[in-house]
Amino acid sequence: MTIPPISPIQLPPSIGQIRVQVPGGGETFRSVMNGAVESVNAMQNDAHASMESFLNGEGQDLHKVALDQQRAGIAFDLFLQVRNKMVSAYQEVMRMQV
């Protein structure tokens, strides 16, 4: 039995790139965040399907299941940290006096 090498974790591009809407084009902040949520959700669903496949005995490798779980967990943690930073920035702006 050969075990394939571990590939580096590829985060969804929508998590690592946040663009500001510019007049005349570009993505809105809302669409970027929706894309990030959908990407994280897809990773969570893939990890769940991988685990279900393994538990049903459908030939899924244990190390692939573990990697899928870790990848989904890291993506969720990263998204959670980005959300926390956004909430913190929003609160800071609300504290500003005009």
Side-chain angles (χ1 to χ4, degrees), residues 8-95:
I9 294 175
Q10 298 294 323
L11 293 176
S14 58
I15 290 178
Q17 302 172 0
I18 296 179
R19 297 183 204 135
V20 178
Q21 181 180 6
V22 295
E27 292 185 62
T28 63
F29 183 75
R30 181 179 185 172
S31 67
V32 170
M33 291 309 296
N34 280 339
V37 168
E38 289 172 4
S39 296
V40 171
N41 189 37
M43 290 180 101
Q44 293 281 336
N45 290 338
D46 289 344
H48 182 71
S50 176
M51 183 176 53
E52 287 290 324
S53 174
F54 176 75
L55 292 176
N56 289 334
E58 297 173 1
Q60 192 71 269
D61 292 331
L62 179 60
H63 69 277
K64 183 182 180 322
V65 174
L67 285 174
D68 287 345
Q69 293 291 324
Q70 286 296 315
R71 190 175 294 125
I74 289 171
F76 180 77
D77 289 342
L78 176 63
F79 181 76
L80 189 62
Q81 291 298 320
V82 169
R83 182 201 60 103
N84 290 343
K85 288 290 184 181
M86 289 186 324
V87 169
S88 176
Y90 174 78
Q91 289 172 344
E92 188 67 28
V93 168
M94 289 294 116
R95 278 188 232 126

